[in-house]
Amino acid sequence: SDCDSLTSITIPNSVTSISVQAFRNCKKLANVVIPDSVTYLGSNAFSGCHGLTSVTISSAITEINESAFNTCSGLTSITIPSGVTSIGERAFYNCGGLTSVTIPDSVTSIGYIAFYRCSGMTSCTIGSGVTSIGQYCFEDCSKPGTIISNPTTAPTVDTETFRDIKT
């Protein structure tokens, strides 16, 4: 990627999609506001953006695609908009600085290893709409903390979904 010195970006309201790997490995990119005009966030869009500490996700996005924020180790918290229905595989994989996340009631599925190795996570609230949580989803979220699950129907989970979580 040729974005080694990119520290900030203003995404104009005329943009409707962020393509696959658009900002991948922009290691110094610190914060991003994805405007409400954006309806599509491609796989690996911000993967490897280690310096990313703050991101605002468009309320028009319904799916956080595979590896969208994979290895954004500087990210400390994330607000997932209420219109999101799916969190893809590895969406927040290896985001070690992530300490808290609230998954809204609109989300029905959380993909395979979506929050794997979020070793700083101390708080996670899972909304009432979640029906499926992928294998190893929360593995190595090793800090003592709280996972609050509010589904109205028990979600389908794998035996390894919460592996290596300390209590």
Side-chain angles (χ1 to χ4, degrees):
S1 161
D2 293 328
C3 60
D4 290 341
S5 61
L6 184 66
T7 58
S8 68
I9 184 88
T10 300
I11 300 170
N13 289 329
S14 57
V15 173
T16 58
S17 71
I18 298 176
S19 66
V20 172
Q21 299 184 9
F23 298 99
R24 184 173 183 223
N25 291 327
C26 293
K27 293 178 173 77
K28 294 180 183 176
L29 186 61
N31 58 58
V32 172
V33 175
I34 302 170
D36 288 342
S37 60
V38 175
T39 59
Y40 175 78
L41 181 61
S43 298
N44 289 289
F46 294 95
S47 179
C49 293
H50 302 289
L52 192 62
T53 58
S54 170
V55 64
T56 302
I57 300 173
S58 162
S59 63
I61 288 176
T62 59
E63 182 177 1
I64 298 176
N65 277 309
E66 176 181 336
S67 298
F69 298 97
N70 181 344
T71 315
C72 291
S73 54
L75 199 59
T76 57
S77 68
I78 189 76
T79 300
I80 299 171
S82 61
V84 171
T85 59
S86 174
I87 299 172
E89 294 181 1
R90 296 181 301 279
F92 297 97
Y93 173 92
N94 204 27
C95 291
L98 192 62
T99 58
S100 68
V101 66
T102 298
I103 299 166
D105 294 342
S106 59
V107 172
T108 58
S109 68
I110 305 170
Y112 169 75
I113 62 175
F115 293 96
Y116 181 90
R117 289 195 177 151
C118 290
S119 57
M121 190 181 298
T122 58
S123 172
C124 179
T125 302
I126 301 171
S128 64
V130 174
T131 58
S132 174
I133 301 174
Q135 187 176 24
Y136 305 113
C137 185
F138 294 99
E139 182 172 352
D140 283 344
C141 294
S142 57
K143 287 220 175 187
T146 304
I147 293 180
I148 300 169
S149 183
N150 297 314
T152 49
T153 304
T156 302
V157 296
D158 184 270
T159 57
E160 305 292 331
T161 296
F162 298 101
R163 183 174 164 192
D164 290 339
I165 292 180
K166 307 293 187 252
T167 56

